[in-house]
């Protein structure tokens, strides 16, 4: 894992946006498949990409996208559906085609069949070139909660009480937070050719340390990324505060060979 520690949330967002921009500009005709994550972590990065689209002609017109996950039972029009979240915060603000943005259908009559369909759709599209990820406080990625098989495929999952309570803040009073979700599996996510995980704030420090310096274990689902060849972790000082090797990671960045 390449671990990049930066002083501010803005610097983190800009670095993540650089990864996207380089990937898009290096892809022939900008034909790229992006894996998009919801949550607050990538929001500033999406904002920076929207700015580059508007002010620096960064185009997504030949890109397609696959979302990581979706709540079961929420229509795409619901404010907290992940499809709607990505639309409102990112894809409706850039020039990607509407029908190029794919997500698991949380309203499917048969969620298990929908999970298989979605996994196959990602493969049929040629797989994800660049996946952005956040991380849950319990070390989940997508909605792969602790205990998820490291080779799991897209499937129906039940959220932990911790995640339900973490996500409660997004729902209005009296609304029931969904407890079932469809999520790309850890095996599915691991097939992305390149992965950028971003996190900021002290609340994520423990999860970041477990992910990158702990054992590879289903107990910390994000630790599966230790087995991937091209992962970049872009975090701020606070999220890095529990890393034992933080000084070394900073040293590596400082002394990065130019070739
Ligand atoms: C949800 C999403 C994850 C996200 C996590 C962290 O559980 N399924 O993809 O990484 O929340 O969210 P936040 O970035 O808001 O802390």
């Amino acid at each position: 894992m390449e671990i990049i520690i930066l002083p501010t949330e803005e610097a983190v967002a800009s670095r993540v946006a650089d990864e996207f921009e380089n990937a898009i500009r290096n892809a022939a005709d900008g034909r790229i498949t992006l894996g998009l994550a919801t949550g607050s972590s990538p929001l500033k990065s999406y904002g920076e990409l929207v700015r580059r689209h508007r002010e620096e002609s960064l185009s997504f017109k030949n890109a397609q996208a696959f979302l990581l996950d979706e709540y079961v039972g929420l229509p795409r029009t619901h404010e907290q559906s992940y499809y709607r979240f990505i639309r409102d915060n990112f894809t409706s603000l850039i020039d990607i085609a509407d029908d190029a943005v794919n997500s698991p259908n949380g309203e499917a009559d048969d969620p298990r069949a929908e999970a298989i369909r979605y996994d196959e759709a990602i493969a049929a599209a040629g797989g994800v070139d660049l996946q952005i990820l956040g991380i849950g406080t319990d070390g989940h990625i997508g909605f792969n909660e602790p205990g998820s098989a490291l080779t799991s495929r897209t499937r129906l999952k039940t959220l932990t009480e911790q995640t339900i309570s973490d996500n409660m803040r997004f729902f209005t009073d009296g609304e029931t937070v969904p407890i079932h979700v469809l999520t790309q599996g850890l095996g599915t996510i691991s097939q992305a050719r390149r992965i950028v995980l971003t996190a900021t704030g002290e609340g994520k420090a423990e999860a970041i340390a477990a992910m990158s310096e702990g054992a590879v274990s289903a107990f910390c689902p994000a630790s599966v990324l230790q087995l991937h060849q091209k992962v970049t972790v872009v975090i701020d000082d606070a999220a890095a505060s529990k890393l034992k090797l933080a000084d070394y990671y900073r040293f590596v960045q400082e002394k990065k060979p130019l070739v």
Side-chain angles (χ1 to χ4, degrees):
M1 272 181 196
E2 180 186 28
I3 301 192
I4 299 173
I5 305 169
L6 297 165
T8 62
E9 286 190 5
E10 286 65 32
V12 167
S14 170
R15 186 65 168 74
V16 172
D18 288 350
E19 300 285 340
F20 269 72
E21 176 160 3
N22 291 341
I24 293 165
R25 296 207 192 268
N26 288 332
D29 295 327
R31 283 184 201 289
I32 190 166
T33 302
L34 300 171
L36 301 180
T38 52
S40 45
S41 305
L43 270 185
K44 281 203 161 75
S45 307
Y46 292 152
E48 172 60 11
L49 285 166
V50 170
R51 190 196 65 74
R52 292 184 194 189
H53 164 65
R54 288 180 179 155
E55 296 172 18
E56 295 167 13
S57 72
L58 178 63
S59 175
F60 298 79
K61 72 173 188 298
N62 289 331
Q64 57 179 338
F66 283 88
L67 271 60
L68 272 180
D69 44 14
E70 184 59 278
Y71 289 115
V72 168
L74 287 195
R76 279 182 153 192
T77 46
H78 190 286
E79 260 194 26
Q80 290 311 323
S81 90
Y82 279 1
Y83 175 79
R84 170 88 188 269
F85 180 97
I86 287 288
R87 242 196 90 68
D88 290 356
N89 291 290
F90 190 33
T91 56
S92 71
L93 309 173
I94 53 174
D95 59 347
I96 191 168
D98 268 352
D99 61 0
V101 181
N102 303 278
S103 66
N105 177 5
E107 285 196 299
D109 292 335
D110 182 345
R112 288 191 172 84
E114 170 60 8
I116 295 168
R117 180 204 68 78
Y118 192 66
D119 209 277
E120 288 173 353
I122 297 170
V128 169
D129 295 305
L130 175 63
Q131 174 69 55
I132 182 165
L133 293 176
I135 186 168
T137 51
D138 61 2
H140 74 248
I141 50 176
F143 267 132
N144 293 279
E145 297 286 26
S148 293
L150 301 182
T151 53
S152 49
R153 309 303 308 181
T154 306
R155 68 209 183 293
L156 180 63
K157 283 290 287 180
T158 304
L159 299 179
T160 59
E161 287 181 67
Q162 160 103 52
T163 303
I164 294 167
S165 101
D166 283 353
N167 289 351
M168 203 100 78
R169 65 188 195 275
F170 298 115
F171 289 81
T172 47
D173 283 351
E175 239 182 336
T176 327
V177 184
I179 58 171
H180 293 115
V181 293
L182 287 169
T183 182
Q184 284 189 37
L186 295 175
T188 317
I189 295 170
S190 296
Q191 280 175 330
R193 285 179 270 281
R194 192 156 158 37
I195 295 178
V196 176
L197 183 142
T198 185
T200 55
E202 221 181 319
K204 296 294 171 72
E206 215 152 283
I208 289 292
M211 167 187 81
S212 43
E213 294 178 343
V216 174
S217 151
F219 192 68
C220 177
S223 65
V224 73
L225 300 178
Q226 291 180 33
L227 303 175
H228 195 283
Q229 290 192 328
K230 282 193 169 174
V231 177
T232 303
V233 177
V234 189
I235 52 180
D236 67 353
D237 288 329
S241 59
K242 298 214 162 121
L243 286 171
K244 293 191 183 80
L245 298 176
D247 286 345
Y248 175 62
Y249 304 136
R250 291 191 176 93
F251 181 72
V252 169
Q253 284 309 308
E254 222 178 275
K255 305 286 177 202
K256 213 167 179 184
L258 295 173
V259 285

